[in-house]
């Protein structure tokens, strides 16, 4: 079983192409961002009372998910490499959750701006982790376009206001 898990982990990390399931789930995960952004720009102001907070809450949830990915990778790699879990990596993986949650306490344009900054900062971390061979080589192919789309969806309502 260890050989099977090790082979699977190595395949996922070293593969150059984004796995189809990962791509499809990521694209589906973007749909609420796009729909809520569209609604915030084109629906009446009364709808914006719930649309923008919903978009910001969804962004905070997705940031938590992005941090959780590193928890999964950390535990998988400790299993494959027979090494202790890195507390520092686990703490770093919690940061998107904390900052995303804190953004929900802001008002006006500030939640969108803080969430945008969080997505961009986390993309930078993802790129660094990929360069240091701690994330799959295909990860930037997924994260760069989806981060750009998420940032546009968060900023569009701010610019339209």
């Amino acid at each position: 079983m260890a050989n099977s898990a090790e082979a699977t982990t190595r395949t996922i990390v070293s593969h150059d192409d984004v796995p189809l399931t990962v791509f499809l789930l990521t694209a589906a995960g973007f749909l609420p961002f796009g729909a809520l952004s569209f609604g915030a720009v084109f629906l009446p102001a009364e709808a914006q009372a719930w649309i923008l907070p919903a978009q910001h809450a969804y962004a905070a949830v997705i940031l938590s998910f992005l941090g959780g990915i590193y928890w999964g990778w950390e535990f998988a790699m400790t299993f494959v490499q027979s090494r202790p879990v890195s507390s520092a990596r686990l703490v770093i993986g919690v940061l998107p959750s904390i900052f995303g949650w804190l953004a929900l306490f802001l008002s006006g344009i500030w939640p969108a701006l803080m969430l945008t900054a969080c997505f961009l900062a986390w993309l930078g971390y993802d790129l660094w982790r990929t360069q240091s061979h701690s994330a799959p080589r295909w990860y930037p192919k997924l994260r760069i376009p989806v981060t750009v789309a998420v940032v546009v969806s968060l900023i569009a309502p701010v610019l339209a206001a």
Side-chain angles (χ1 to χ4, degrees), residues 71-125:
W71 274 52
W73 284 341
E74 179 62 19
F75 289 126
M77 295 312 292
T78 58
F79 174 74
V80 169
Q81 297 172 355
S82 298
R83 63 169 173 78
V85 174
S86 167
S87 296
R89 288 188 184 135
L90 295 180
V91 168
I92 290 169
V94 172
L95 294 178
S97 302
I98 293 169
F99 286 107
W101 175 71
L102 288 173
L104 299 178
F105 291 97
L106 302 174
S107 60
I109 65 170
W110 296 108
L113 295 179
M114 183 169 176
L115 291 164
T116 295
C118 289
F119 276 100
L120 292 173
W122 199 251
L123 174 62
Y125 182 68

Side-chain angles (χ1 to χ4, degrees), residues 5 9 18 30 43 52 57 61 66 69 75 120 137 149-150 158:
T9 301
V18 178
F30 171 74
L43 291 179
L52 289 176
V61 168
L66 292 174
I69 288 171
F75 289 126
L120 292 173
R137 291 191 311 232
V150 165
V158 171

